[in-house]
Amino acid sequence: VGFVSEDEYLEIQGITREQSGDYECSASNDVAAPVVRRVRVTVNYPPYISEAKGTGVPVGQKGTLQCEASAVPSAEFQWYKDDKRLIEGKKGVKVENRPFLSKLIFFNVSEHDYGNYTCVASNKLGHTNASLTLFGPGAVSEVSNGSWRRAGCTWLLPLLILHLLLKF
């Protein structure tokens, strides 16, 4: 893909996150050899949950719910159970957050742990969420066959993208 500009700057209309990367700028005239510089273009965008995994775990075993989100800047994660935010350090539960992945780890699953959980991924451009289920053996669940369900404001992402495009 090439862009040509006669000015001192280049404006890329409607840039997408897939267009992030390294670009070369070449300046030339009839007097000297061309000058080439590389520039890295970063496209910021709100979180998008690419994968959310629930799981079935017997009582007394270790279980993990995980939520993966793509975002620039990186997403921050929060976990909820039945609309109540889970606080780090709850006995027997640990949250492991990485820039694009969050895990909710249960070290010794009890009946009380079973239920619906919500992973919320957010950055300064927006947020999204996904529902996951921790269930016992033999329970019927949407995530038991490996599929997942996303919830949230699906209308919000196109609105945010439109807003960002109008700013550029």
Side-chain angles (χ1 to χ4, degrees):
V1 176
F3 301 98
V4 176
S5 174
E6 299 295 327
D7 295 324
E8 296 176 24
Y9 66 93
L10 174 66
E11 183 176 337
I12 303 173
Q13 296 284 335
I15 194 166
T16 65
R17 62 179 169 233
E18 290 80 15
Q19 292 171 305
S20 292
D22 293 331
Y23 287 77
E24 280 188 358
C25 176
S26 175
S28 61
N29 61 25
D30 296 335
V31 178
V35 176
V36 177
R37 298 285 187 261
R38 293 179 68 83
V39 63
R40 177 169 302 255
V41 174
T42 301
V43 178
N44 293 335
Y45 57 95
Y48 171 80
I49 294 181
S50 53
E51 189 169 355
K53 289 185 179 177
T55 190
V57 181
V59 170
Q61 299 296 310
K62 181 179 178 181
T64 303
L65 298 176
Q66 69 179 42
C67 181
E68 187 174 323
S70 178
V72 175
S74 297
E76 294 182 11
F77 294 93
Q78 295 177 347
W79 287 91
Y80 293 81
K81 181 179 184 202
D82 302 325
D83 298 325
K84 185 176 178 184
R85 184 170 176 204
L86 299 177
I87 306 299
E88 179 70 39
K90 178 186 168 197
K91 187 177 179 183
V93 178
K94 179 182 178 185
V95 176
E96 283 185 4
N97 287 327
R98 296 185 188 142
F100 297 101
L101 177 70
S102 181
K103 293 181 180 181
L104 182 60
I105 302 168
F106 302 85
F107 294 103
N108 185 7
V109 171
S110 70
E111 289 279 344
H112 177 73
D113 294 323
Y114 293 144
N116 295 319
Y117 291 81
T118 302
C119 166
V120 177
S122 59
N123 70 9
K124 65 183 180 181
L125 299 174
H127 65 275
T128 188
N129 62 66
S131 296
L132 304 90
T133 304
L134 181 68
F135 54 94
V140 176
S141 172
E142 280 187 60
V143 293
S144 62
N145 64 3
S147 64
W148 56 277
R149 180 182 65 180
R150 250 185 81 184
C153 300
T154 54
W155 56 269
L156 186 58
L157 182 57
L159 183 63
L160 287 170
I161 291 172
L162 178 63
H163 178 74
L164 291 173
L165 291 175
L166 292 175
K167 282 189 165 187
F168 293 103

